[in-house]
Amino acid sequence: MKFSYSVFERVTTKRVLRNICLWAILVFLATSAISVATAAERKQENKSELYAIGLWGDLPYSDVQALTGVPNLIADMNSQNLVFTVHDGDLKAGSGTPGSVTPTTCSEDFYKQSLGFFNALKAPAAFTPGDNDWTDCDRPANGGFSSRERLDRERQLFFNTKFTLGQRKLAQKVQTAPLCLGVEGAVPCVENRRWAVGNVTYVTLNVPGSCNNLCDTAPDSAEYNARNQSNIVWLRESFKAAKDSNSVAVMIITQANPGWDLTDGTRAPLRDPKTLVETDKQADGTLTPDGYKDFLIALRDETIAFRKPVAYVHGDSHYYRIDKPFLDSEGQRLENFTRVETFGDNVANGLNDVQWIKVTVNPREREVFSYQPQIVPKNRVAVPAV
């Protein structure tokens, strides 16, 4: 069969156009694949980038700290490039101060003052409650409030969205199951949170001092039991999330110093480091109620199973230190566990301990976390800054 030139030209043109289209599609797909790979590599690189966070707690405890020390500390944090900050509980002293200028009982003004501090921070500001914020609010010197009602109020003020406080916000995973107890019954433990920056998982848990609400003015074992189980559930879920996302480390932030061994009875409960049973006794010779053993056993199990670095941040005993006090059931030190205690109020020294800790996070380093105490120049007392 013979084709005219025009027919041949049309057929040839169609073939060329088809080949051009196919070539363009192949180039597009190849370029897209390269772009996706590059984006994935960039995302992985970002996960390995070094960054810094700020830790503080047990502040303010007095008028001078509220009016001078904490504003100085916040200004110091704001002067540095922090990805986020965390206050590990106790936004006031254990009891109200008669004649104070600033709010020192568990009043509405006290919570609003605290909210103002957090929102003065430029970086996202996370927070976990302490005993002075709610469990001790039933003391007459604090106003004689219901502890559950005050915790409900904290949940409404500080934890009413999935975002942190602070001028910049950071989205967090929230424990939404109604496992805790409030005034009206079962409520979500919305103060328990989790988030990731880079390739590191961060967790907050409501574990306060004063025996975890099992002692002091009005112990509440029902509230404790519900919240303790909730904390353990969130702890285990968070370690699973860290494993699933291949996190290189986990940092847990709570308020209480639960006590780890038999060495420091002046600052924390004493406990058998192998069994984790508290050994402290009350005046009548009976054992002190132990609000932490079950939680510590779960923490130990998860730390051993995770195998990578675990940092446990707390306040409560007001003594800056970084050590490795956690042992396994055979008495061997858990090498991948580090306790970090933040600075806190020191009544004898006024502003002397209104300081914070800067944590440098480097996912490429073996230990991931490194710590530097930040002594706020304007808060130095014994040896004033030059």
Side-chain angles (χ1 to χ4, degrees), residues 129-356:
D131 56 315
N132 297 356
D133 310 329
W134 69 279
T135 67
D136 297 340
C137 289
D138 50 24
R139 295 176 181 174
N142 275 328
F145 293 90
S146 158
S147 294
R148 290 196 199 184
E149 186 276 330
R150 290 291 81 184
L151 181 55
D152 284 349
R153 186 61 181 141
E154 282 199 303
R155 287 168 175 152
Q156 293 169 356
L157 280 174
F158 301 118
F159 306 105
N160 57 3
T161 73
K162 69 175 183 179
F163 296 99
T164 62
L165 304 167
Q167 294 175 20
R168 300 199 311 271
K169 308 293 183 184
L170 182 67
Q172 301 171 305
K173 297 286 186 182
V174 181
Q175 188 176 32
T176 56
L179 301 176
C180 283
L181 289 179
V183 173
E184 300 297 330
V187 295
C189 316
V190 292
E191 65 273 26
N192 287 350
R193 303 200 161 205
R194 179 174 65 246
W195 66 99
V197 176
N199 206 19
V200 177
T201 297
Y202 298 89
V203 186
T204 55
L205 292 160
N206 188 353
V207 183
S210 292
C211 309
N212 210 354
N213 206 19
L214 282 182
C215 60
D216 209 272
T217 301
D220 189 342
S221 59
E223 189 285 326
Y224 157 77
N225 286 324
R227 181 172 41 78
N228 187 52
Q229 289 305 309
S230 172
N231 285 335
I232 292 172
V233 167
W234 191 243
L235 178 76
R236 295 194 187 283
E237 287 182 3
S238 296
F239 269 103
K240 182 180 185 304
K243 291 174 188 174
D244 291 346
S245 63
N246 199 29
S247 289
V248 296
V250 170
M251 177 177 281
I252 300 162
I253 305 101
T254 72
Q255 197 268 327
N257 181 351
W260 308 91
D261 51 30
L262 299 169
T263 65
D264 197 11
T266 62
R267 298 186 182 276
L270 294 176
R271 64 182 64 251
D272 184 317
K274 295 182 181 180
T275 65
L276 297 177
V277 173
E278 187 170 344
T279 60
D280 284 346
K281 293 184 178 180
Q282 302 182 93
D284 61 3
T286 60
L287 290 174
T288 301
D290 189 350
Y292 307 109
K293 185 194 74 172
D294 293 342
F295 175 77
L296 287 173
I297 289 173
L299 174 63
R300 184 163 68 181
D301 291 345
E302 294 296 335
T303 297
I304 292 171
F306 186 61
R307 304 183 69 170
K308 301 174 186 178
V310 175
Y312 190 88
V313 179
H314 69 79
D316 193 22
S317 43
H318 304 198
Y319 191 83
Y320 165 68
R321 54 185 159 182
I322 298 166
D323 60 9
K324 291 182 174 291
F326 217 6
L327 307 183
D328 70 6
S329 59
E330 301 299 319
Q332 299 178 105
R333 191 173 310 283
L334 301 186
E335 298 93 341
N336 65 322
F337 180 91
T338 301
R339 179 262 293 276
V340 182
E341 182 167 0
T342 53
F343 290 96
D345 167 72
N346 186 319
V347 176
N349 292 326
L351 284 178
N352 204 44
D353 284 331
V354 185
Q355 321 295 355
W356 59 286

Side-chain angles (χ1 to χ4, degrees), residues 21 29 35 37 56 79 96 110-111 113 145 170 172 225 265 307:
C21 290
L29 291 174
S35 298
W56 62 307
S79 71
F110 152 65
Y111 292 119
Q113 171 184 265
F145 293 90
L170 182 67
Q172 301 171 305
N225 286 324
R307 304 183 69 170

